[in-house]
Amino acid sequence: MTANPKLAEGLAEYLSAVRGVPGTPLEAARLLADRNAHRIACPLPAGMSVVNSFVVRAGDEVPVRIYRPAAAGPLPAIVYYHGGGFTTGSIETYDPFAMALAEASGAVVVSVHYSRLPEATPRAMIAQCHDALRWIARMAGALDIDTDRIAVAGDSAGAFIAVQVALLARDGGGPALACQLLCYGVFDLDEARASYASARDPVLTLPLIKAVIAAYRAADARDPAPFDVPLRSDLSGLPPAILLEAEHDAVVEEGREYAERLQAAGVATCLRIAPDMCHGFLRAVRFSAPARAEMRWLGDQFRTLVQSRK
């Protein structure tokens, strides 16, 4: 891989729109990202409705944003956990992803604003995200969704969360899931991986990877989680998986490894490596025709998979 890898059309403009100032404190970086989210915002597709609501739990409320395409229900549903290295990201900054996924998949997409690290712990974060999934299943009537066609989805750190939630659902917490949609996911937390040091991704750099892993470990030490990373978990019995990776991404190798582990566990798995793409490219749908094409591929795969469950 070259020092300056070839990127798909529109990605450079997208990266310019989302690039923050190095060294900005986390609290301010979160605020600035939300304030500047309009830079990557997309027009609302014709007929789509967007509603903000809350999953009410003992001791907290979890914001959710619900995207419903213009179609008669009951529709499939995708519970989406955004990226951001477990510490940043929000339903605001990942609005283009969730909106485009709803349009491409024809499903109701529920974007979950989970509590982030370091204020939360991984144990608490995953429990909260699982509670959100179960709430969505309980609200199936009000949401006009089909409980036989509920999926989990996530990108980057959100893919890690989606897998953990799928494991909890499998192990008796429910609900039964139709599939898992995982985009350039973090499936390992080992900073010594050779692929991290050799990658030339302009987004997910080695210093950033190390910072994410350090934040996760520090938060986990306060209240150790009862689960391991996806690459070291028992994956048998999980729902079918659709994985979309990026050619230049620092985590592309662990995406391939996760797909291999799923297949070895007997889980139907579809893997695509998007050419000329960097980490986070699906938020670039406003700028990049190739990114929009990859999102359509993801939606088409989902439609095909869940069609058999009608």
Side-chain angles (χ1 to χ4, degrees):
M1 190 177 293
T2 63
N4 295 295
K6 174 190 173 187
L7 294 179
E9 171 263 324
L11 288 192
E13 187 180 0
Y14 157 73
L15 293 175
S16 178
V18 298
R19 188 169 289 118
V21 177
T24 303
L26 178 59
E27 188 174 18
R30 290 168 172 170
L31 172 61
L32 291 171
D34 286 335
R35 192 186 72 178
N36 295 327
H38 66 277
R39 295 176 179 174
I40 62 170
C42 298
L44 187 67
M48 182 177 290
S49 65
V50 181
V51 175
N52 294 322
S53 193
F54 299 87
V55 177
V56 180
R57 306 167 71 239
D60 68 15
E61 293 185 315
V62 183
V64 292
R65 183 169 291 177
I66 303 164
Y67 304 79
R68 185 179 185 86
L75 295 179
I78 299 173
V79 184
Y80 166 63
Y81 306 104
H82 63 74
F86 305 108
T87 63
T88 63
S90 68
I91 56 178
E92 190 65 31
T93 56
Y94 281 75
D95 181 75
F97 186 116
M99 184 185 298
L101 180 59
E103 182 178 30
S105 66
V108 173
V109 170
V110 183
S111 181
V112 180
H113 183 68
Y114 52 87
S115 295
R116 297 165 292 189
L117 312 184
E119 293 83 4
T121 66
R123 178 198 286 268
M125 178 179 64
I126 299 302
Q128 189 183 66
C129 288
H130 186 212
D131 282 351
L133 169 66
R134 292 189 291 187
W135 176 86
I136 289 156
R138 291 198 305 273
M139 294 297 108
L143 291 171
D144 197 16
I145 62 173
D146 181 354
T147 55
D148 289 330
R149 294 185 291 159
I150 298 177
V152 290
D155 63 310
S156 191
F160 180 104
I161 294 171
V163 172
Q164 301 296 351
V165 170
L167 289 168
L168 287 173
R170 177 202 66 185
D171 292 342
L177 296 173
C179 72
Q180 43 183 326
L181 299 167
L182 307 170
C183 303
Y184 35 85
V186 176
F187 302 119
D188 198 5
L189 290 170
D190 180 6
E191 69 271 19
R193 289 180 67 93
S195 57
Y196 291 166
S198 62
R200 296 294 182 268
D201 189 286
V203 176
L204 197 56
T205 62
L206 183 57
L208 180 56
I209 292 170
K210 289 183 175 181
V212 167
I213 293 173
Y216 185 98
R217 288 180 175 167
D220 187 53
R222 302 200 309 269
D223 182 24
F227 49 80
D228 208 337
V229 299
L231 280 178
R232 291 191 289 273
S233 298
D234 172 14
L235 306 179
S236 59
L238 284 181
I242 302 167
L243 280 77
L244 180 56
E245 305 291 332
E247 179 186 3
H248 300 312
D249 199 342
V251 299
V252 65
E253 290 305 319
E254 62 200 84
R256 288 192 180 101
E257 291 177 30
Y258 183 67
E260 291 168 0
R261 286 283 322 280
L262 285 169
Q263 291 168 335
V267 178
T269 304
C270 176
L271 169 67
R272 173 172 168 76
I273 311 295
D276 300 331
M277 293 296 182
C278 63
H279 193 78
F281 72 88
L282 287 173
R283 285 206 298 160
V285 288
R286 168 176 165 181
F287 305 90
S288 172
R292 292 192 291 274
E294 297 295 344
M295 181 62 85
R296 286 194 297 273
W297 176 88
L298 189 66
D300 288 346
Q301 293 298 313
F302 175 81
R303 288 174 186 264
T304 299
L305 195 155
V306 302
Q307 185 68 26
S308 62
R309 301 178 68 98
K310 292 186 70 173

